Amino acid sequence: MKPLEGRKRRRGDRYDGFLVRNVDPMGTLIPFIMKTKTDSWVLLDDKIDITHTQHFMRSMRSSGEIPNISLYQIVFASLVRTIAEVPEVNRFVQNGRIYARNEIKGSMVVMKGMSKESERTTIMPRFELEDTLKDVVDRINAEIDAIDREQKKVREDENKTGFDKLQTALSAIPAFLLFLVFDTLKLMDRHGVLPKGLNKLSPFHSSFFITNMGSIGTMPIYHHIYEFGTLSCFGAIGTIDTVYEFDKNGHRHRKVYLNTKFVADERATDGFIYALAMKKFKTYVSKPELLMEPLKNIVHDKID
C-alpha cells in the first residue's frame, strides 16, 4: 500500500503529492518567510543504542532468515516504518505550498567499487507502508544486484541503470547550457510539471536520502538537502562507539552506539512531529525485531 492510496487528485494536487489543505496559519506563512531549504533546515544529532541490534543481526545471519542483513538496511526499514506511523514526515514544500508525498522512496549512493577510481551511482528503491524488515532488505538488494560492480566507470558501463543513463546524458551538455537546463527543470518542478520520467529517476525527489559514512570509517555529517527537488530529509550514519556504562546499582555494562545526523526541512511539518518521528525511528533501530511483522495500524496523512 502506498501513502494516500486510492485518493483522487483534486485541483491544486501534483502527480507526486497531494496538497495539504488543513495547514495552520503559521504553517501557511513559513514557506513564504523561509523560501528555500537553506533558510529552513534543522539539524538533528543523536546516538542510538544498537547493543541489542548487533545481537539481532548475528542471529538473523546465523539462522539464515536474513543472511545478508546490514545495519544500513535496518535504518532504511526503520524509516519506512516511521513514515507508516508518522506520515507527516513524508511531506515536501514546493512553490510555497505543502504536499503529502504519494509514495515512499528512499535513496542511497552505491560505489561501483572500493577504490579511488571507482565512480558513484544511486539507487532509489520504493517501499510499501506494510513492508517488513525482510521486504525492505529484498527491495534494496534487488536494486544493488542490478549494478555492475566490476565496471568502475559509469560512462563505460554497458549495463547502466536508468539513473546512470540520465546523469551521463546530462553531464554531456555544455556547462553554459546546463545552467539553463537546470533552471528550466527547477521551474517546471516548482509548478508540478517536471516530466514524470525525470522525477522517477531523480534521487532528489525522495522521501529520504541516507548515506553510510561508517562504511568508510568516518563520523556522520550534516548533509544538505538540495534546493533542486522535493527531498525533505537527509540522514547520515557513521562510526559506532563502544562504551562501558554503570547502572544505578553500580554494575558495568558494555554498550554500542550508532552516531547519526539528520537534516530536515522545517517547513514540511512542525518540531513536535519531527521529535515524535525520531523517537519511533530510534526505537525501531534499537529493537529491529519489531519490524519483522507488517504494521497493523497504518496511519495515513490527514491533509483535509
Side-chain angles (χ1 to χ4, degrees):
M1 179 188 301
K2 294 179 173 57
L4 300 169
E5 187 170 295
R7 181 184 176 92
K8 294 182 179 179
R9 287 179 61 190
R10 296 161 55 185
R11 184 179 178 83
D13 293 337
R14 296 163 52 108
Y15 67 78
D16 55 353
F18 297 100
L19 181 65
V20 179
R21 292 176 164 82
N22 59 353
V23 182
D24 64 16
M26 181 177 291
T28 300
L29 294 176
I30 281 178
F32 296 92
I33 297 171
M34 299 183 291
K35 294 182 180 181
T36 67
K37 294 179 185 179
T38 307
D39 285 340
S40 57
W41 66 9
V42 290
L43 311 177
L44 302 93
D45 179 3
D46 212 339
K47 290 186 175 183
I48 304 176
D49 186 348
I50 59 167
T51 311
H52 168 71
T53 308
Q54 289 191 324
H55 292 300
F56 174 84
M57 288 192 293
R58 284 194 288 268
S59 174
M60 291 293 102
R61 291 166 185 158
S62 61
S63 68
E65 190 167 357
I66 311 179
N68 50 0
I69 191 171
S70 69
L71 184 58
Y72 202 14
Q73 294 163 337
I74 290 176
V75 167
F76 263 69
S78 298
L79 285 168
V80 171
R81 184 60 55 91
T82 298
I83 288 173
E85 292 190 284
V86 191
E88 294 89 346
V89 295
N90 199 21
R91 292 178 177 180
F92 63 89
V93 176
Q94 276 287 22
N95 205 27
R97 292 185 169 188
I98 302 172
Y99 296 88
R101 201 182 306 274
N102 54 18
E103 68 172 354
I104 304 177
K105 174 183 173 184
S107 291
M108 60 185 284
V109 170
V110 177
M111 298 298 293
K112 296 177 74 64
M114 290 304 291
S115 70
K116 290 175 65 176
E117 293 75 28
S118 300
E119 295 183 346
R120 299 164 292 175
T121 186
T122 303
I123 64 169
M124 293 151 276
R126 268 77 170 175
F127 305 100
E128 303 290 333
L129 289 167
E130 62 270 31
D131 276 354
T132 64
L133 175 56
K134 190 175 187 309
D135 293 329
V136 171
V137 170
D138 289 343
R139 293 184 194 278
I140 292 174
N141 286 341
E143 297 272 342
I144 292 177
D145 290 345
I147 298 172
D148 185 353
R149 305 297 289 276
E150 300 298 321
Q151 177 53 262
K152 297 178 182 179
K153 301 295 183 182
V154 171
R155 288 186 176 87
E156 298 170 6
D157 190 349
E158 295 181 357
N159 300 305
K160 293 183 181 68
T161 64
F163 173 75
D164 286 343
K165 293 176 182 177
L166 175 62
Q167 66 170 333
T168 300
L170 288 173
S171 64
I173 299 174
F176 74 96
L177 286 178
L178 204 51
F179 282 114
L180 177 61
V181 168
F182 271 94
D183 284 344
T184 302
L185 292 177
K186 287 179 181 179
L187 179 64
M188 296 173 73
D189 195 25
R190 191 157 59 245
H191 294 283
V193 293
L194 184 74
K196 292 183 180 180
L198 288 179
N199 184 297
K200 180 180 179 181
L201 295 175
S202 168
F204 313 111
H205 295 77
S206 301
S207 304
F208 55 86
F209 202 131
I210 305 296
T211 182
N212 182 9
M213 305 300 294
S215 65
I216 55 175
T218 66
M219 292 289 287
I221 61 170
Y222 290 119
H223 198 290
H224 52 85
I225 46 178
Y226 304 102
E227 292 300 342
F228 176 61
T230 59
L231 182 70
S232 297
C233 176
F234 201 119
I237 63 174
T239 51
I240 60 176
D241 295 330
T242 301
V243 300
Y244 290 89
E245 299 177 348
F246 291 92
D247 62 22
K248 62 181 180 180
N249 297 316
H251 299 133
R252 192 176 75 157
H253 300 276
R254 178 181 177 273
K255 291 292 185 74
V256 181
Y257 290 97
L258 172 68
N259 294 293
T260 68
K261 285 181 168 63
F262 282 84
V263 177
D265 187 344
E266 185 188 6
R267 302 172 301 171
T269 190
D270 60 57
F272 176 83
I273 295 298
Y274 277 129
L276 176 62
M278 284 303 297
K279 287 179 181 178
K280 288 187 177 292
F281 169 69
K282 289 178 64 176
T283 296
Y284 287 126
V285 174
S286 296
K287 300 177 181 178
E289 64 272 13
L290 299 174
L291 303 169
M292 295 299 288
E293 297 296 328
L295 183 64
K296 294 181 180 179
N297 299 313
I298 292 171
V299 180
H300 287 285
D301 202 350
K302 296 178 181 179
I303 60 176
D304 293 310

